[in-house]
Amino acid sequence: MLRLLLALLLTLAAPGLAGAQGAMTAAKAKDLVRASLVAESEALVPGRTVTLGLHMAMKPGWHVYWRNPGDSGLPPEMGWRLPAGYSVGPVQWPVPERIPVQTLMNFGYEGAVTLLVPLTVPESAKAGETVRLAGTLSYLVCEEICIPGSSELSLDLPVAASAEPASGQAALFARARAALPEPAPGAYRTTRAGDRLVLHLDRPGLADVTGVAFFPYAEGALDNAAPQDLAVDGSGLRLTLTPGDAKEPPEALAGVLALTEDGVRRAYALGPEPAPAPTTAAVPTAPEAPAAAPEDESLTLWSAAGLALIGGLLLNLMPCVFPVLSIKVLSLVRQAGESATRVRLHGLAYTAGVLASFLGLAGLLILLKAGGAGIGWGFQLQSPVVVALLAYGLFAMGLSLSGAVHLGGGIVGLGDGLTRRAGYQGSFFTGVLATLVATPCTAPFMGAAVGFALTQSTPAALAVFASLGLGLALPFLGLTVFPQALRLLPRPGAWMDVLKGALAFPVYATVAWLVWVLAQQVGPNGLLAGLTGLVLVALAAWAWERARGAGRLGTGLGRAAAVAALVAALGLVALLDGDRAAARGTALAQGEEAFTQARLDALRSEGRTVFVDMTAAWCITCQVNERTVLARDGVQAAFRAGNVAFLKGDWTNQNPEITRLLERYGRSGVPLYLVYRGQGEAQVLPQILTEGIVLAAIGQKAVAAAQ
């Protein structure tokens, strides 16, 4: 039931988390796309046409779009600034790739792409002069989220009576032309089959055809994510497609048909290309006109902080944090009759606790990283001492909620009520607790956030973490800053005691999970010490409660026994690090291998497809992904069918080799999922997986997975 709840909550939070984590991973747009303007000739010849190239090289895992971007995105667009008389023709678009993103299907380019553009030189151009070709290239670069960017491009070329090919550019232009679609090799037509469209290509003699994909020129013409069903016979091929949301489905499809025939990828242009958009036309300027200044990217930090704020809000839905927040809301219901000033002070104390914890953990991480430590976000949970102490604290909280012990007069049972001042301290430390229990739940977001923060200055990094903390604190702070909102809550009554007791059980479930994490970090003796510590915490709670109202002597003895039990529990915690050598770590399932860089390099040199899973026992997102996606029969069958090697990196305990791989891909926490196909660069998968994402990444179809 707990796993089902975790999966449900992660599913609900996935879009926001994915957007936030992508923003935190993103550096400036110009660091994600390196754009340049190149020419095929060394000079411009009056009255002739020269081919220019808009070359874009993307950071691994990021992509730009084709002329029809698919279900989302925008194609690159060049706003030209050319001397009078010069003009450019339509862009020649290379064949794109299908890029699945969650339930969407986009069309675009990863790695690098060169868009060819013909430039016509006027007859009036004078030999000997130098011409500046310039413009603003606007683009949308995407991973899990999309970042708009632009680059100011320019190229100075002389005008001459004749021109030689540009040195060093021949290979680039050859690759660009090879990536263009060819004319159709035979007749083609579109027919209907029920509510679907069938594209026919007459091409007798087709042999081994695989990897067929049709890219329509018109947006909305097809359901891009729907299956494209291939049939090949003696006359050619038929591709059955699903119409899109266009008001009137096209009678004749126009676009690019890509296929692999006998191991060679080919692409054919079918039908007329759409007219180029008017915005691609040249804008005449004087030759001496200065280029516009590059765009101001100073808002990148603010954008990141804003998305961090949204991500912090989403943390309140996580199963670790929600019970703590609910308990504090119950305390507000009880305090509804008190002054507005006191209620606001509780909210500010809680917020201060959250912010102090986030900034403290972030500052410690930054200092340790600066000192050369190979750690990342969640580093504190790599210590069995921290895990055990967190389990003990939550266990005591659960006992208080269940009524086994009454610590102070407040409902939280964490010192919230001995005096009015202590009540504020209780709110502060509830904020600290909320941050600590949120840490393992934030993996899909925090890893990317820290990856961004650690590339910035210390003040900028702390600003991102402060935004996260503020987002986590905002719901409770909002209820206290606007006390009239408390009127929306039910009146105090017996239901509060019932709900308080019910909230103890998710807390106990978190304790059970922490004990399971501890079992991955230590050996049998360490686990026994940790469990014994829980017994001693229960003993301390029982002794403390028995001491209430037992007279002076009985009270003193009872509280002394409680303190002694707690001291003994803390003494056992000190023994945990000594048993770490016997830890077994995260278990490997059948077909999985332990990650090492040497093993990864060996598999890649063999040309194998490799799936790398960077995980940890304390990472809730990792565990949900492994149980609900990676362990499914269909995914496992696809791994076997494709001879895919599965390497699992266990970051439950510190592992510098894993830390280095995380940092290589801009992450500072788990999960991280990589797919290597041959010796190419890795594809970075989203941190919240689906079966379709995994199958697409390893190049296997769902049909194959179901076998």
Side-chain angles (χ1 to χ4, degrees), residues 643-690:
N643 192 27
V644 178
F646 192 118
L647 297 184
K648 177 177 283 188
D650 182 8
W651 211 46
T652 302
N653 296 300
Q654 292 185 23
N655 185 318
E657 194 171 33
I658 292 176
T659 304
R660 285 194 294 271
L661 187 70
L662 292 172
E663 292 175 343
R664 187 184 310 163
Y665 290 96
R667 301 289 173 84
S668 191
V670 290
L672 174 64
Y673 304 106
L674 304 173
V675 174
Y676 294 88
R677 301 182 71 171
Q679 298 183 11
E681 186 51 70
Q683 176 185 356
V684 182
L685 303 188
Q687 291 179 302
I688 298 176
L689 297 178
T690 66

Side-chain angles (χ1 to χ4, degrees), residues 6 110 145 189 199 246 260 316 353-354 423 436 453 488 507 624 682 688 704:
L6 296 180
E110 295 178 317
I145 59 102
R189 62 193 180 280
L199 179 65
T260 300
N316 291 281
V354 172
L436 291 176
L488 302 176
V507 174
V624 171
I688 298 176

